[in-house]
Amino acid sequence: FKARTRTRKGAAKLRALDYAERHGYLKGIVKDIIHDPGRGAPLAKVIFRDPYKYKKRSELFIAAEGMYTGQFLYCGKKANLQIGNILPVGQMPEGTMVCNLEEKTGDRGALARTSGNYAIVVSHNPDTGRSRVKLPSGNKKLIPSANRAMVGIVAGGGRIDKPLLKAGRAYHKYK
């Protein structure tokens, strides 16, 4: 057995947390939605203008269901609640379905990242600055309200509904 890591597209993370995202928002455009070998969910290649230098920054996000090329994404505290947008959990109403949720503030996404998965924002406590979320496992977890998450559920759901049936399909799955 040889691990097919050579063909992987790269680490899928949220943007590094900066001033622009903490206080306002940034606009990015989805340039491409690509398959990553060994991952059930598709990835979205999103291009942002660098807020500090004259250049463009490319980020790899896990695609949310309903994302399309040419779509504008907004990241930051002041972003709207639309599918694909990234905003702090504290800014979302209760019952919002989110994915690629940060476990610790600024860790760039750790929870609810596999295809078809999502977490649900259950409640907020403005006094302590913490929010309760329900994870895909059913566990409820208290996380800081400043943690960011992408609105919507991860694309590529229903992947395990169809059986692989033979070893050859499992062999080609990681190609």
Side-chain angles (χ1 to χ4, degrees):
F1 173 74
K2 192 194 284 181
R4 307 285 179 195
T5 51
R6 178 176 58 79
T7 52
R8 300 244 170 121
K9 301 296 182 280
K13 294 181 171 183
L14 302 179
R15 286 185 75 254
L17 190 57
D18 57 3
Y19 183 89
E21 226 174 299
R22 278 198 303 272
H23 294 88
Y25 67 87
L26 280 111
K27 181 174 89 168
I29 182 166
V30 180
K31 282 288 185 195
D32 203 5
I33 291 175
I34 52 178
H35 166 71
D36 190 18
R39 187 194 296 267
L43 297 180
K45 193 170 267 187
V46 187
I47 306 288
F48 290 94
R49 273 189 53 228
D50 191 298
Y52 307 111
K53 290 184 176 149
Y54 177 67
K55 56 166 68 175
K56 290 194 166 142
R57 299 267 185 207
S58 171
E59 301 282 343
L60 267 183
F61 291 163
I62 291 172
E65 200 158 294
M67 242 187 218
Y68 54 91
T69 52
Q71 177 185 2
F72 288 123
L73 290 190
Y74 298 92
C75 298
K77 187 182 170 189
K78 298 275 198 303
N80 291 331
L81 194 78
Q82 282 175 323
I83 285 183
N85 286 0
I86 294 166
L87 51 157
V89 177
Q91 303 291 319
M92 300 178 185
E94 285 92 356
T96 311
M97 288 182 174
V98 296
C99 61
N100 207 357
L101 177 67
E102 289 184 328
E103 199 165 4
K104 302 180 177 71
T105 310
D107 73 3
R108 302 179 72 180
L111 307 170
R113 290 162 55 106
T114 58
S115 54
N117 260 356
Y118 60 91
I120 297 173
V121 181
V122 179
S123 63
H124 302 295
N125 188 345
D127 306 331
T128 57
R130 290 183 172 273
S131 299
R132 188 175 287 278
V133 292
K134 186 175 179 213
L135 300 177
S137 63
N139 283 3
K140 292 189 175 72
K141 189 177 175 94
L142 266 177
I143 59 166
S145 295
N147 288 12
R148 298 166 298 162
M150 184 180 274
V151 182
I153 75 172
V154 184
R159 175 172 54 88
I160 54 172
D161 295 348
K162 180 174 180 249
L164 285 169
L165 288 177
K166 54 185 196 167
R169 296 219 180 111
Y171 175 76
H172 288 296
K173 187 163 72 166
Y174 297 107
K175 290 279 199 269

